[in-house]
Amino acid sequence: DVQLVESGGGSVQTGGSLRLSCAASLNPGDTYCLGWFRQAPGKEREGVAFIYTVDHSSYYLDSVKDRFTISLDNAMDNTKNTLYLQMNSLTPEDSAVYYCTTRRTCGGFQSSRYDIWGQGTQVTVS
């Protein structure tokens, strides 16, 4: 079974940095898109960054692409991958619960296209 477990959230001051991690257990032999979404109180869940396991090609939400970096440590058998989101120059607008997600192909920035999620990790910027 595909499983995702996030870690690394916390509180930071404006201008600070955090790195989120997601332990991703994927099916051997398959290729995936892995991504990060975030959801602030009262707002819709929005896609932030995505990466393909096969070639590590990635793309970003415009508002984060000069500050956030998505990366991936692939396991040879696909069972113990680690997805990262390095977040720099954080602002209060980045405060949210951050979720990792996966799909066989990237479904864009709409959360409704994804149905496998981690439990989320809180990021608070003050």
Side-chain angles (χ1 to χ4, degrees), residues 32-126:
Y32 289 84
C33 172
L34 289 160
W36 291 97
F37 277 74
R38 65 186 181 185
Q39 188 167 22
K43 295 188 177 181
E44 293 186 355
R45 192 171 295 190
E46 68 172 354
V48 174
F50 303 88
I51 190 167
Y52 277 100
T53 61
V54 65
D55 62 1
H56 290 203
S57 59
S58 61
Y59 61 100
Y60 297 87
L61 181 69
D62 282 348
S63 63
V64 308
K65 64 183 178 181
D66 294 327
R67 302 183 295 121
F68 291 9
T69 302
I70 191 170
S71 61
L72 176 65
D73 284 343
N74 285 102
M76 290 188 66
D77 63 355
N78 234 10
T79 58
K80 292 183 180 180
N81 308 281
T82 305
L83 176 71
Y84 299 101
L85 185 67
Q86 177 67 43
M87 305 184 294
N88 300 327
S89 301
L90 286 163
T91 73
E93 289 68 36
D94 297 314
S95 296
V97 178
Y98 283 71
Y99 299 89
C100 66
T101 187
T102 190
R103 195 172 181 268
R104 292 297 309 278
T105 58
C106 285
F109 293 95
Q110 294 178 316
S111 62
S112 60
R113 294 179 177 172
Y114 301 81
D115 57 12
I116 301 174
W117 299 91
Q119 82 284 0
T121 186
Q122 177 71 49
V123 171
T124 302
V125 185
S126 60

Side-chain angles (χ1 to χ4, degrees), residues 20-37:
L20 306 182
S21 300
C22 174
S25 179
L26 307 175
N27 292 325
D30 290 340
T31 61
Y32 289 84
C33 172
L34 289 160
W36 291 97
F37 277 74

